[in-house]
Amino acid sequence: GIFVLGLPYALLHSGYSGLLLIILAAALCCYTGKILVACLYEENEDGQLIRVRDTYEDIANACCKKLFPKLGGIVVNVTQMMELIMTCILYLVVSGNLLSHSFPSIPVTEKTWSVIAFVTLLPCVFIKTLKIVSKLSQLCSLVHFIIILVVMTYCLTQTHRWSWAKFRLSFEFEDFLVSVGVIIFSYTSQIFLPTLEGNMKNPGEFRCMLNWTHFFACVLKSAFALSTFLTWGEETKEVITDNLPSFLQALANLCLLTKALLSYPLPFFAATEIAFACISGGHHPHYRSPLFALSVRGSLLLLTLLMAMFIPHFALLMGLTGSVTGAAMTFLLPSLFHLKLKWKKLTFLEKCADISVFILGFLCSLAGIVCSIKGLLEIFG
């Protein structure tokens, strides 16, 4: 995701500990992805695993069914919708920003560029299956590799500037939290995993897929962050492509724009699926009429544009939403649900692992709330 381009900036604030965080975050996010999907299954009388739940909401409702049957699902759906909608808005804002910087001679505002980007996303209202989204995501990954290749190739031509003396250990708590946030949220995918696993041709390969994707992501992110930080050191900017010389920045901006537009369909599709489930009250998904489906998708699409145009201090709101909902959906809730649903079948070490991840998720959420409130107070005086 776009957060990868902020990893060098994270190393600027964390040094050697940042590299350890990249590895640790990969392991933890891979683990919570597995236990979340494990909560979709129960053993039958023959000891075979049967998929009895389909969504994150179903898992939450199963955990709360004795006290408040629908409360867990409502909390999860609200949290997911907040994160997904804000992610879609972010891609629109980023697209407008990139178009504005790519064509500075054209007298058009960033908001107008965002509207132009929005027009190219109108076909999203016709997306009905995850198969189409996966093809767009493949193209998105290809564009992302091009960006990384361009940046790393330039860095390898600057090896004479590399110096390990630039590395340090960060002891500034707030600076370190910046690094934690960027690194953790560069791995988050738990919102999509139940839908992804349910749409796989062979769901039995899910755990293997998760292991390999997180392993390669960890290696790639470590190499990318290290080489770029060693190249620019203290001059490292929040988005590393801003450090590139002007002749490469144009290419990088074009690739980033393409990536932002191709990234939009995945969170948008996930948000529409949640909306359909809430509106239909859990009826079979094929029950929808074409006109009804188009209306819901069109409304959500328009909502993301309006919020991108009119929300003040968007970056701060995105930070607040991401810090709180991201940590909760990635660490806190999967471990809590796994403990609740599988307690009798877990070993002592598995229980300790889940409890540790839960505590970590709670601390990340708390830190995100504190830092975001502090930022809000500074902005609004």
Side-chain angles (χ1 to χ4, degrees), residues 119-133 136 264-265 268-269 272-273 276 288 290-291 293-299 301:
V119 172
T120 67
L121 294 170
L122 288 176
C124 287
V125 298
F126 300 106
I127 295 177
K128 298 179 181 179
T129 66
L130 197 63
K131 186 176 289 187
I132 298 172
V133 177
L136 294 173
Y264 185 97
F268 178 76
F269 176 80
T272 55
E273 290 298 296
F276 284 135
R288 316 167 193 150
L291 184 60
L294 281 174
S295 300
V296 173
R297 295 192 193 105
S299 299
L301 197 69

Side-chain angles (χ1 to χ4, degrees), residues 29-307:
C29 290
C30 183
Y31 174 74
T32 56
K34 290 176 183 177
I35 63 175
L36 179 66
V37 169
C39 292
L40 299 171
Y41 291 84
E42 295 289 349
E43 287 186 2
N44 63 10
E45 295 176 354
D46 300 324
Q48 296 177 322
L49 289 175
I50 305 297
R51 201 177 203 264
V52 297
R53 304 176 188 101
D54 293 317
T55 63
Y56 214 138
E57 179 191 5
D58 293 339
I59 297 171
N61 284 333
C63 292
C64 300
K65 65 180 179 180
K66 291 184 179 179
L67 295 175
F68 306 101
K70 297 293 183 181
L71 179 62
I74 292 171
V75 171
V76 166
N77 279 338
V78 169
T79 306
Q80 286 187 106
M81 283 296 287
M82 283 176 62
E83 186 163 345
L84 291 167
I85 292 297
M86 293 299 277
T87 301
C88 290
I89 298 166
L90 175 65
Y91 287 134
L92 277 175
V93 172
V94 166
S95 298
N97 182 271
L98 288 169
L99 282 168
S100 176
H101 284 84
S102 299
F103 305 101
S105 58
I106 300 177
V108 173
T109 64
E110 280 191 25
K111 289 184 178 181
T112 306
W113 281 121
S114 293
V115 174
I116 294 171
F118 170 80
V119 172
T120 67
L121 294 170
L122 288 176
C124 287
V125 298
F126 300 106
I127 295 177
K128 298 179 181 179
T129 66
L130 197 63
K131 186 176 289 187
I132 298 172
V133 177
S134 69
K135 293 185 185 300
L136 294 173
S137 294
Q138 280 183 322
L139 290 173
C140 178
S141 298
L142 177 62
V143 173
H144 196 65
F145 276 115
I146 292 172
I147 298 170
I148 291 176
L149 183 64
V150 168
V151 176
M152 290 194 69
T153 301
Y154 177 79
C155 290
L156 290 174
T157 65
Q158 304 294 313
T159 51
H160 59 278
R161 296 170 52 187
W162 290 13
S163 172
W164 289 96
K166 297 175 182 178
F167 260 110
R168 60 184 175 80
L169 281 172
S170 175
F171 296 100
E172 291 291 333
F173 182 66
E174 289 190 20
D175 286 348
F176 187 72
L177 280 180
V178 171
S179 303
V180 173
V182 172
I183 290 168
I184 288 176
F185 300 128
S186 74
Y187 283 105
T188 54
S189 60
Q190 275 67 11
I191 287 178
F192 310 110
L193 294 185
T195 304
L196 176 63
E197 194 261 358
N199 282 271
M200 288 179 70
K201 288 184 178 179
N202 184 4
E205 296 178 348
F206 176 80
R207 294 174 69 88
C208 179
M209 178 275 294
L210 217 57
N211 287 335
W212 281 109
T213 50
H214 279 77
F215 171 75
F216 283 118
C218 178
V219 171
L220 180 63
K221 289 172 184 179
S222 298
F224 177 74
L226 185 60
S227 60
T228 49
F229 177 73
L230 288 175
T231 301
W232 286 290
E234 295 294 327
E235 297 175 4
T236 301
K237 296 181 180 179
E238 288 189 42
V239 179
I240 197 61
T241 51
D242 290 341
N243 282 100
L244 291 171
S246 56
F247 69 93
L248 284 177
Q249 269 196 32
L251 174 62
N253 281 345
L254 180 62
C255 289
L256 281 172
L257 173 64
T258 306
K259 175 177 169 50
L261 295 175
L262 289 172
S263 296
Y264 185 97
L266 180 58
F268 178 76
F269 176 80
T272 55
E273 290 298 296
I274 294 170
F276 284 135
C278 293
I279 295 170
S280 64
H283 290 102
H284 196 274
H286 297 297
Y287 178 76
R288 316 167 193 150
S289 69
L291 184 60
F292 168 73
L294 281 174
S295 300
V296 173
R297 295 192 193 105
S299 299
L300 278 176
L301 197 69
L302 187 60
L303 176 65
T304 60
L305 174 66
L306 293 174
M307 292 180 72

